[in-house]
Amino acid sequence: MNRFYKRTGFKIFAVVIAALLAGSVIAVASRSGSSPLTKATGVVFGPASRLSGAVVNNMKRLPVTFRSSSALKKENEELQAEIDSLREQLVDYEEAVYKNNFYKEFLELKEEHEDYEFAEAAIIGRDSADKFGTLTLNKGSLNGIAVNDPVIYGKYLVGVVASVTPTQCTVNTLLNPAVNVSAYESRTREVSYVTATVALAAEGHCILTNLSSQTAVTDGGIVCTAGVGGVYPADLIIGTVIDIVDATLDISAGAVLEPGVDFSQLTDVFILTDFSGKAK
């Protein structure tokens, strides 16, 4: 058998067969438009080619993304600048509204009391440890301010000047036990005086004390200055009755008041430097 494969005739037959197979393969490849080598290469490197193509496409989009981020950042900066501007305008508006209301109160009071002489003052100091709401104002003796000048906000009594320097003054509010104001309740016309205690001051209240045991004063009553003594003019509003107490407490029977203004929220006030009936 081995001699058969070694014969010259068999070798020529094998070469012919190999040539025919090669021709068939070439013919098939020529009809498909690609060679076997090309197809083999495509199978092996196709996935890598597709991956590289995707990377290239993404890289092409990167400059667009960067431009979009830059534009978005600029837009955000412009919006923030606009917001800051609107905030400033809102602050200015609120300040204008506050000042408008402040001077409106002043003008109304001035129209009702032509004898009043005022000095506008700003609150420049508060002692956070002080229980009585003591205020420091930016006006002093150089502005005609004196001890015992009443301090008001519109028609509401805030307190009284306790000490004065050339450029500043200190004000004791209605929460200070040192302040005593002759007063009346507007509905019953019952007259007494308003003062405070440490306990009441801690709650932000004062009291219309020494009322009659048969008092008709009730919750919701408005208490005003009576004008007795020449320190405070009449008819300034002190506060509203929120409770009636009796002599079982450490204070006389009376009506607990909530002052007409929140002293902790004030920023500007008026000092009454003169009025008809003021003690000289």
Side-chain angles (χ1 to χ4, degrees):
M1 179 65 72
N2 290 333
R3 287 197 298 265
F4 175 78
Y5 290 121
K6 294 179 180 178
R7 290 179 181 177
T8 301
F10 178 80
K11 292 179 178 178
I12 293 173
F13 175 78
V15 169
V16 172
I17 294 299
L20 290 173
L21 289 173
S24 299
V25 170
I26 292 171
V28 172
S30 64
R31 286 195 296 270
S32 65
S34 60
S35 68
L37 179 60
T38 302
K39 288 186 176 182
T41 302
V43 170
V44 173
F45 295 101
S49 176
R50 287 191 295 273
L51 178 60
S52 64
V55 172
V56 170
N57 288 334
N58 287 333
M59 290 296 290
K60 289 180 179 178
R61 287 197 294 268
L62 280 177
V64 177
T65 303
F66 290 151
R67 286 196 298 272
S68 299
S69 297
S70 176
L72 182 61
K73 180 180 179 182
K74 182 179 179 181
E75 183 179 349
N76 285 340
E77 290 174 348
E78 291 174 350
L79 288 174
Q80 186 60 52
E82 185 176 353
I83 290 172
D84 292 341
S85 176
L86 290 173
R87 284 175 176 167
E88 292 177 2
Q89 292 178 38
L90 180 60
V91 170
D92 293 341
Y93 170 76
E94 291 176 343
E95 178 67 17
V97 170
Y98 174 82
K99 285 293 186 181
N100 181 65
N101 292 334
F102 181 61
Y103 286 113
K104 181 181 178 182
E105 294 269 1
F106 162 73
L107 291 173
E108 289 178 354
L109 195 63
K110 184 65 176 175
E111 288 176 357
E112 294 177 7
H113 302 276
E114 295 181 357
D115 57 310
Y116 284 8
E117 293 184 13
F118 300 88
E120 179 187 353
I123 296 171
I124 58 173
R126 288 185 171 90
D127 184 354
S128 59
D130 178 60
K131 299 178 181 179
F132 308 130
T134 303
L135 306 173
T136 301
L137 309 183
N138 67 342
K139 296 293 173 67
S141 57
L142 293 177
N143 308 103
I145 310 304
V147 172
N148 288 335
D149 282 347
V151 178
I152 63 175
Y153 181 84
K155 298 179 181 181
Y156 297 93
L157 179 64
V158 173
V160 63
V161 174
S163 63
V164 181
T165 69
T167 58
Q168 297 180 5
C169 66
T170 300
V171 176
N172 287 341
T173 71
L174 291 168
L175 302 181
N176 196 311
V179 174
N180 292 278
V181 186
S182 62
Y184 68 93
E185 196 275 326
S186 61
R187 183 179 63 83
T188 64
R189 311 302 293 185
E190 186 167 352
V191 178
S192 187
Y193 68 94
V194 170
T195 188
T197 67
V198 173
L200 286 173
E203 297 175 355
H205 300 147
C206 51
I207 187 168
L208 178 65
T209 191
N210 283 340
L211 294 178
S212 165
S213 59
Q214 304 298 319
T215 182
V217 174
T218 58
D219 293 2
I222 305 298
V223 176
C224 305
T225 56
V228 177
V231 176
Y232 305 95
D235 302 324
L236 294 174
I237 300 173
I238 297 174
T240 304
V241 177
I242 60 172
D243 192 21
I244 304 299
V245 296
D246 56 38
T248 59
L249 301 179
D250 62 346
I251 51 179
S252 301
V256 177
L257 307 180
E258 182 175 85
V261 290
D262 183 349
F263 308 131
S264 66
Q265 299 300 313
L266 291 175
T267 59
D268 299 274
V269 293
F270 284 108
I271 304 171
L272 272 177
T273 57
D274 198 13
F275 56 90
S276 178
K278 181 178 181 180
K280 304 299 184 181

